[in-house]
Amino acid sequence: MKKILAVDDSASMRQMVGFTLKTAGFDVTEATNGDEALKVAQSKNFDLVISDVNMPVMDGITLIRNLRNLPAYKFTPLLMLTTESGGDKKQEGRAAGATGWIVKPFNPEQLLATVRKVLG
């Protein structure tokens, strides 16, 4: 079973992402901000990380940048799931090492299609 780390400061968004992915058979771990996610990711390996951009403590782009510096996450798909749809933020995410970008509100089928695509 593929392991996914879902990171968002919104409890309702974490629940929606978690429900969608668990229903599809994925093992989902949740984190409330980038700092918590980084600590969880260092203690356990994940096949995919899905992160919000705007979060307290550590934002998603800083999280992606820190994960890419870890050997275990050098080639792991890292998706941004965010309300940010501006070109500057997307460019910043790509430069940090994000694999893809999904804009909220998301369609559960679109999320699953993207997750399956990046997991191969």
Side-chain angles (χ1 to χ4, degrees), residues 8-58:
D8 202 303
D9 58 325
S10 163
S12 61
M13 187 56 66
R14 283 195 315 275
Q15 287 174 347
M16 197 156 49
V17 169
F19 176 79
T20 299
L21 296 173
K22 287 175 187 172
T23 301
F26 294 102
D27 179 9
V28 181
T29 299
E30 298 176 5
T32 60
N33 62 61
D35 187 54
E36 181 184 334
L38 187 59
K39 289 174 183 161
V40 171
Q42 288 172 320
S43 65
K44 182 178 174 185
N45 285 336
F46 292 91
D47 299 298
L48 168 67
V49 177
I50 301 174
S51 178
D52 186 16
V53 171
N54 298 312
M55 297 181 289
V57 186
M58 180 191 292

Side-chain angles (χ1 to χ4, degrees), residues 96-115:
T99 307
W101 197 276
I102 301 170
V103 177
K104 296 177 192 172
F106 69 93
N107 174 327
E109 290 174 12
Q110 176 200 13
L111 175 65
L112 287 174
T114 303
V115 165

Side-chain angles (χ1 to χ4, degrees), residues 37-109:
L38 187 59
K39 289 174 183 161
V40 171
Q42 288 172 320
S43 65
K44 182 178 174 185
N45 285 336
F46 292 91
D47 299 298
L48 168 67
V49 177
I50 301 174
S51 178
D52 186 16
V53 171
N54 298 312
M55 297 181 289
V57 186
M58 180 191 292
D59 66 52
I61 290 175
T62 303
L63 169 64
I64 297 292
R65 192 173 296 121
N66 283 324
L67 286 173
R68 284 292 181 225
N69 286 330
L70 299 174
Y73 290 93
K74 190 168 183 173
F75 301 108
T76 302
L78 306 175
L79 294 175
M80 307 302 302
L81 179 62
T82 180
T83 55
E84 295 278 353
S85 60
D88 289 350
K89 277 289 183 186
K90 283 187 180 178
Q91 186 59 35
E92 196 178 341
R94 281 193 195 101
T99 307
W101 197 276
I102 301 170
V103 177
K104 296 177 192 172
F106 69 93
N107 174 327
E109 290 174 12

Side-chain angles (χ1 to χ4, degrees), residues 5 7 65 114 117:
L5 177 58
V7 191
R65 192 173 296 121
T114 303
K117 182 179 175 186

